[in-house]
């Protein structure tokens, strides 16, 4: 890497206006303070509300520093809405939380026609449909807004909430009451309890008018209609929301006390009869080919529509099919979002900076001349890894094509060779990490991943690990974001996760207490300590996810939590498995490594590669210390089992073998898991049932040998209460 890129990473600094403060005239200073106030507010919004920062922390800090320097030089010009008067964004704290009775899920994505054909094939296979059995889906535009749950009780609107993390959102009832599309009362007969779901959005025309008004008032302009809708709905003062023209399309439902129809299509019709706006482009289709025709039609109309859409959603129409198909992870098997192709633009690659991740992986990041792509300003794009840069042969100074697909991180597609400057040099990946240790870079996985070899000693990695630990899906500590973690780390207030829970104590004896630091005051420190206290009790799945074990994302953390129940139980098996793995590092077959290791691999969808990462985490004494220190300070709650009613198979381990007659293997697995059973791939002493289909082989024999109960397919269906 060039020396310039290293400095860039460490001290990325420019605000775009580099006239020294001493040389500014009063008019220039006032003008710049206005721009800075709007810019900082904009970045605060992206960071705190949207979780999609556009600029690095260092660039953000530089904006704030510039603002403070000008204010210090021109104290009479300090604005009433000066960013120095606040840290982060206050309103978010003002909404109370709402737990969704039925989780609000996301959708699986498709980009190619073949993904849609695969979806049809997958659904047919899962439901064991014959080639001539009909399969109807409803195709609807995917509205680019924010999803909302509207709760009606006895026909009256009682509560409205944002999606939040899917399980818990924010109560924005008062703001939703200001929307004409949200009926206060439902006309006609409705179930006693009815959660109506759909998208709040702003039309393109209203968005443009709002931005004009914002500009005229010297307030910030919104980047796109979606952000404008989000910002407008999350106002603490609903009088402001009322002035913002928001709309709502209904397309789904959550908890209902009585089924509303037998098909999705008829449900939409009922929602319409009750007074909700239903998107007029929704259509029924009977094959992949028909849905693709609708997709092209909607895509052709996209530009002329007065609201943003980013694809077409397909939903299996028959609700009894939907019930059988169920969910995987956080998305239903019965629906698919077919996205429109990404939007592209050309700009100049100004610099390649290196970012150090939580696990030490070095990610090259393209710093671009800001350019608008599909309505959003893009200034950064990932270059993934050294191989990708070599493959693209992008060079600093090149004109490049960038693309943005939905909320995916922008990507550099490649250089425009005709425009390459004569002096552009091929990029050389740095041989040492930009972290203060300057340790050598090692290349893994056939050189695809470059990693800092500083491991646990690397301060960049330590900070990233702490940031992950407090992030939204982990400990989710309000008021403790990247910036605060970095600042506390630099001051040696926190070094390991456990330090966070000692912070209030450490602070008492600290030479510079936090409340004296820039951006903090008595109240915000008090709130921070309260937020930390609040997280002393934490669900096991969040705890596991927060540890930041490679390859253990939210879904895997949940599986582990459900499978082992409590922290001591999980830890004990992981330590045993790690010990077994150390004894037999090269052995491929899990069974031959050891009993605990095999048990771990046997959990649905955890393979040897994830299991090996977990074992390597538990083989590192430092990590064990981190877990022990946390254990002393926290109450880790046992995992809650999925709603299984009084299912006789809850907690049991089941193995399916041979060909099943009435359902596919996928449906069989789902039928067991949704009732709280674990599905394993091989038979052991711990197996409770082996369900034997036609032509079963060695597994049935092994069950006999070990004395494990075997069931016919019919017996299984009777056991789970699905025998007609
Ligand atoms: S259905 C269980 N239908 O897309 C599935 N979602 O990527 C529930 N969205 O969070 C969602 N238009 O905000 C559905 N016609 C539509 C949609 C739609 C937009 C959004 C929604 C959801 C996201 C999932």
């Amino acid at each position: 890497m060039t020396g310039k890129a290293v400095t860039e990473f460490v001290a990325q600094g420019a605000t775009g206006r580099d006239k020294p403060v001493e040389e500014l005239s009063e008019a220039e200073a006032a003008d710049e303070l206005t721009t800075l106030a709007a810019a900082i507010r904009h970045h605060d919004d992206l960071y705190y509300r949207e979780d999609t920062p556009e600029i690095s922390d260092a660039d953000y800090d530089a904006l704030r520093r510039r603002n403070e320097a000008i204010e210090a030089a021109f104290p009479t010009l300090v604005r009433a809405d000066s960013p120095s008067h606040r840290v982060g964004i206050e309103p978010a704290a003002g909404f109370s939380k709402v737990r969704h009775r039925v989780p609000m899920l996301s959708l699986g994505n498709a980009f190619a026609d073949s993904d849609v054909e695969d979806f049809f094939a997958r659904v047919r296979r899962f439901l064991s449909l014959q080639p001539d059995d009909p399969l109807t889906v409803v195709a609807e535009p995917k509205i680019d807004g924010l999803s909302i749950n509207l709760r009606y009780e006895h026909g009256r609107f009682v509560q409205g909430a944002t999606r939040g993390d899917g399980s818990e959102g924010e109560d924005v009832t008062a703001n939703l009451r200001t929307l004409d599309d949200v009926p206060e009362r439902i006309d006609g007969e409705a179930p006693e309890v009815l959660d109506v779901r759909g998208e709040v959005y702003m039309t393109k025309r209203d968005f443009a008018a709002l931005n004009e008004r914002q500009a005229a008032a010297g307030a910030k302009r919104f980047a796109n209609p979606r952000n404008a809708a989000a910002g407008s709905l999350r106002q603490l003062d609903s009088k402001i929301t009322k002035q913002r023209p928001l709309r709502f399309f209904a397309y789904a439902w959550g908890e209902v006390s009585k089924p509303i129809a037998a098909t999705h299509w008829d449900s939409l019709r009922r929602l319409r009869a009750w007074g909700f706006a239903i998107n007029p482009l929704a259509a029924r289709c009977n094959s992949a080919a028909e849905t693709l025709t609708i997709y092209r039609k909607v895509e052709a109309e996209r530009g002329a529509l007065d609201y943003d859409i980013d694809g077409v959603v397909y939903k299996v129409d028959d609700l009894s099919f939907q019930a059988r198909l169920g969910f995987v992870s956080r998305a239903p098997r019965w629906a698919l979002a077919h996205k429109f192709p990404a939007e592209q633009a050309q700009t100049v690659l100004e610099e390649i900076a290196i970012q150090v991740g939580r696990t030490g992986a070095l990610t090259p990041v393209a710093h671009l001349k800001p350019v608008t792509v599909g309505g959003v300003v893009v200034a950064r794009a990932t270059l993934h890894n050294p191989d990708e840069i070599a493959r693209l042969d992008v060079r600093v100074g090149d004109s490049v094509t960038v693309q943005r697909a939905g909320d995916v991180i922008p990507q550099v597609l490649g250089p425009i060779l005709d425009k390459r400057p004569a002096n552009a040099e091929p990029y050389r990946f740095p041989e040492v990490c930009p972290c203060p240790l300057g340790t050598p870079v090692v290349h893994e996985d056939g050189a695809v991943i470059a990693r800092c070899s500083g491991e646990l000693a690397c301060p960049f990695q330590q900070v990233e690990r702490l940031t992950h630990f407090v992030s939204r899906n982990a400990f989710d500590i309000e008021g403790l974001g990247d910036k605060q973690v970095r600042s506390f780390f630099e001051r040696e207030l926190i070094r390991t996760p456990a330090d966070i829970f000692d912070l209030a104590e450490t602070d008492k004896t600290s030479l510079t207490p936090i409340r004296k630091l820039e951006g903090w005051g008595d109240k915000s420190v008090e709130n921070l300590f309260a937020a930390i206290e609040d997280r002393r009790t934490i669900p096991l799945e969040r705890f596991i996810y927060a540890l930041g074990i490679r390859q253990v994302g939210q879904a895997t953390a949940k599986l582990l939590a459900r499978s082992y129940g409590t922290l001591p139980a999980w830890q004990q098996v992981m330590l045993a498995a790690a010990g077994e793995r150390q004894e037999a590092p090269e052995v491929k077959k899990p069974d031959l490594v050891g009993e605990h290791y095999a048990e771990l691999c046997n959990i649905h969808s955890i393979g040897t590669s994830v299991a090996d990462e977990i074992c390597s985490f538990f083989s590192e004494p430092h990590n064990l210390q981190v877990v022990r220190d946390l254990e002393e300070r926290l109450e880790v709650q046992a995992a809650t089992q999925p709603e299984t009613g009084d299912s006789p198979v809850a907690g049991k381990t089941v193995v399916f073998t041979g060909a099943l007659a009435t359902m596919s293997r996928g449906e069989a697995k789902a039928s067991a898991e949704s009732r709280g059973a674990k599905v394993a791939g091989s038979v052991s002493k711990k197996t409770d049932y082996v369900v034997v289909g036609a032509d079963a082989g060695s597994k049935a024999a092994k069950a006999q040998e070990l004395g494990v109960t075997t069931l016919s397919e019919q017996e299984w269906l009777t056991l789970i209460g699905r025998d007609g």
Side-chain angles (χ1 to χ4, degrees):
M1 164 155 73
T2 60
K4 195 160 168 226
V6 177
T7 350
E8 229 272 17
F9 181 81
V10 180
Q12 296 141 328
T15 62
R17 305 220 187 178
D18 18 45
K19 196 163 181 182
V21 173
E22 311 79 79
E23 287 173 32
L24 291 176
S25 71
E26 191 152 333
E28 282 172 333
D31 181 41
E32 200 177 336
L33 286 178
T34 312
T35 320
L36 283 165
I40 292 170
R41 189 170 284 274
H42 171 69
H43 293 305
D44 278 345
D45 250 23
L46 291 176
Y47 184 92
Y48 287 99
R49 284 193 178 147
E50 317 292 349
D51 268 349
T52 52
E54 271 173 10
I55 59 171
S56 70
D57 289 356
D59 283 356
Y60 173 88
D61 291 341
L63 288 178
R64 276 196 171 256
R65 275 201 305 275
R66 175 85 178 167
N67 186 68
E68 277 155 26
I70 301 177
E71 286 182 348
F74 298 93
T76 55
L77 296 182
V78 174
R79 299 166 54 92
D81 65 350
S82 161
S84 358
H85 297 158
R86 67 194 158 81
V87 183
I89 221 129
E90 314 84 339
F95 296 106
S96 54
K97 301 262 193 253
V98 176
R99 197 142 259 291
H100 300 302
R101 308 294 206 293
V102 173
M104 292 182 76
L105 301 154
S106 52
L107 294 169
N109 286 332
F111 291 94
D113 289 4
S114 59
D115 297 336
V116 178
E117 280 147 14
D118 291 350
F119 169 72
F120 268 80
R122 206 160 54 234
V123 168
R124 287 186 157 277
R125 202 176 329 114
F126 190 98
L127 297 170
S128 300
L129 295 182
Q130 297 303 313
D132 47 358
D133 287 337
L135 176 63
T136 307
V137 304
V138 175
E140 307 165 356
K142 186 167 184 308
I143 316 296
D144 198 5
L146 340 50
S147 48
I148 290 292
N149 187 70
L150 305 172
R151 191 168 179 83
Y152 288 83
E153 287 174 4
H154 305 286
R156 275 186 156 276
F157 175 50
V158 292
Q159 188 177 58
T162 61
R163 175 174 183 275
D165 64 2
S167 316
E168 205 177 60
E170 283 172 333
D171 187 331
V172 285
T173 313
N175 293 346
L176 285 165
R177 285 197 202 279
T178 68
L179 271 69
D180 289 344
D181 287 343
V182 174
E184 193 51 45
R185 270 172 175 286
I186 289 180
D187 313 329
E189 202 177 303
E192 266 176 42
V193 173
L194 170 66
D195 278 342
V196 176
R197 291 183 175 173
E199 206 85 352
V200 165
Y201 65 99
M202 191 180 281
T203 65
K204 294 178 189 169
R205 186 197 302 245
D206 287 336
F207 163 70
L210 171 64
N211 259 355
E212 268 178 38
R213 289 203 303 274
Q214 292 284 102
K220 91 168 189 191
R221 295 168 66 94
F222 292 101
N224 53 42
R226 205 193 81 85
N227 280 3
S232 304
L233 193 63
R234 300 179 85 248
Q235 289 289 338
L236 271 192
D237 181 356
S238 51
K239 286 207 272 318
I240 300 181
T241 312
K242 199 174 166 57
Q243 293 156 11
R244 307 273 176 86
L246 295 175
R247 315 264 182 123
F248 178 77
F249 276 128
Y251 53 65
W253 56 94
E255 191 182 27
V256 280
S257 51
K258 205 163 76 188
I260 55 181
T263 62
H264 183 74
W265 184 254
D266 287 341
S267 308
L268 292 180
R269 298 216 308 204
R270 282 205 83 184
L271 288 168
R272 183 166 49 215
W274 285 326
F276 294 95
I278 301 301
N279 191 284
L281 299 175
R284 264 191 301 189
C285 314
N286 293 311
S287 65
E290 277 181 39
T291 60
L292 291 173
T293 309
I294 296 289
Y295 174 82
R296 308 234 187 284
K297 179 169 163 270
V298 175
E299 191 181 15
E301 286 179 34
R302 182 184 187 189
L305 294 176
D306 195 24
Y307 45 88
D308 278 341
I309 60 173
D310 57 350
V312 179
V313 182
Y314 309 132
K315 299 172 184 173
V316 170
D317 193 31
D318 184 325
L319 299 186
S320 69
F321 281 174
Q322 286 193 7
R324 281 172 60 192
L325 285 155
F327 305 86
V328 242
S329 210
R330 305 197 59 77
R333 282 197 196 83
W334 44 263
L336 186 73
H338 190 182
K339 296 293 201 66
F340 292 133
E343 305 195 60
Q344 300 186 351
Q346 290 185 4
T347 187
V348 175
L349 174 60
E350 294 181 331
E351 202 60 73
I352 296 176
I354 303 293
Q355 231 166 48
V356 185
R358 162 164 64 88
T359 59
L362 303 182
T363 310
V365 179
H367 286 203
L368 306 162
K369 183 155 178 265
V371 61
T372 305
V373 194
V376 167
V377 179
V378 172
R380 299 278 184 275
T382 176
L383 284 166
H384 301 289
N385 53 51
D387 270 13
E388 177 75 356
I389 302 184
R391 187 182 72 78
L392 299 173
D393 183 25
V394 278
R395 306 179 182 188
V396 172
D398 267 342
S399 288
V400 292
T401 310
V402 286
Q403 87 169 16
R404 220 190 109 243
D407 35 18
V408 178
I409 309 167
Q411 278 185 312
V412 173
L413 293 186
I416 301 154
L417 292 176
D418 300 348
K419 295 194 184 166
R420 172 164 285 170
N423 60 354
E425 302 252 348
Y427 180 72
R428 283 198 32 233
F429 204 82
E431 281 161 17
V432 294
C433 176
C435 77
L437 298 180
T439 42
V441 170
V442 290
H443 294 267
E444 289 176 8
D445 271 0
V448 176
I449 301 176
R451 220 179 269 285
C452 160
S453 55
E455 298 270 340
L456 297 165
C458 167
F460 280 26
Q461 293 182 46
Q462 289 171 356
V463 169
E464 291 300 325
R465 270 195 290 270
L466 286 166
T467 312
H468 171 78
F469 186 84
V470 299
S471 65
R472 170 123 69 123
N473 297 321
F475 270 68
D476 189 20
I477 298 178
E478 220 166 299
L480 196 54
D482 294 14
K483 268 198 294 285
Q484 293 78 6
V485 165
R486 237 168 268 275
S487 135
F488 293 167
F489 185 86
E490 280 161 15
R491 293 185 163 80
E492 300 193 15
L493 287 169
I494 52 175
R495 288 273 139 163
T496 74
D499 295 340
I500 296 170
F501 296 95
D502 295 343
L503 193 58
E505 279 304 309
T506 323
D507 194 49
K508 281 188 190 149
T509 54
S510 166
L511 286 178
T512 10
I514 300 174
R515 68 191 150 77
K516 290 270 193 289
L517 302 179
E518 189 199 311
W520 292 94
D522 288 347
K523 186 73 197 154
S524 52
V525 171
E526 203 179 291
N527 288 345
L528 172 67
F529 291 165
I532 294 174
E533 278 317 300
D534 223 39
R535 291 294 185 265
R536 259 188 220 272
T537 308
I538 192 93
L540 178 60
E541 60 185 75
R542 277 186 181 261
F543 181 89
I544 296 177
Y545 173 72
L547 293 177
I549 303 170
R550 278 186 213 169
Q551 292 195 42
V552 177
Q554 268 179 287
T556 307
K558 192 173 228 164
L559 274 176
L560 289 166
R562 290 219 169 133
S563 304
Y564 295 99
T566 65
L567 177 58
W570 177 61
Q571 215 179 336
Q572 199 185 351
V573 182
M574 295 308 102
L575 285 168
E580 291 165 1
R581 195 42 160 168
Q582 274 181 335
E583 295 288 308
E586 304 295 334
V587 177
K588 293 259 174 329
K589 262 188 105 154
D591 283 352
L592 301 178
V593 175
E595 182 192 348
H596 300 95
Y597 182 84
E599 184 184 323
L600 174 60
C601 294
N602 232 341
I603 299 175
H604 168 57
S605 87
I606 293 188
T608 50
S609 135
V610 177
D612 285 348
E613 290 293 3
I614 301 174
C615 289
S616 100
F617 180 91
F618 277 93
S619 306
E620 170 57 60
H622 170 87
N623 293 334
L624 303 183
Q625 190 61 45
V626 165
V627 176
R628 261 198 304 273
D629 289 346
L630 284 169
E631 239 178 328
E632 279 174 15
R633 289 161 177 80
L634 304 177
E635 187 194 326
V636 181
Q637 295 165 310
T640 45
Q641 292 304 323
E643 283 291 332
T644 50
D646 40 15
S647 164
V649 298
K652 305 281 190 213
T653 302
V654 186
V655 173
F656 291 96
T657 179
L660 302 173
T662 64
M663 53 188 168
S664 65
R665 190 59 76 76
E667 182 171 7
K669 220 168 174 178
S671 70
E673 284 171 351
S674 66
R675 289 167 176 79
K678 282 183 261 183
V679 178
S682 60
V683 181
S684 75
K685 283 187 304 227
K686 296 208 169 146
T687 313
D688 294 292
Y689 301 113
V690 176
V691 181
V692 183
D695 303 321
S698 64
K699 289 182 194 172
K702 180 128 188 231
Q704 297 265 300
E705 188 188 309
L706 296 173
V708 172
T709 312
T710 57
L711 300 175
S712 69
E713 181 175 350
Q714 195 49 52
E715 285 168 329
W716 166 254
L717 291 175
T718 309
L719 182 64
I720 63 170
R722 262 202 41 193
D723 52 349

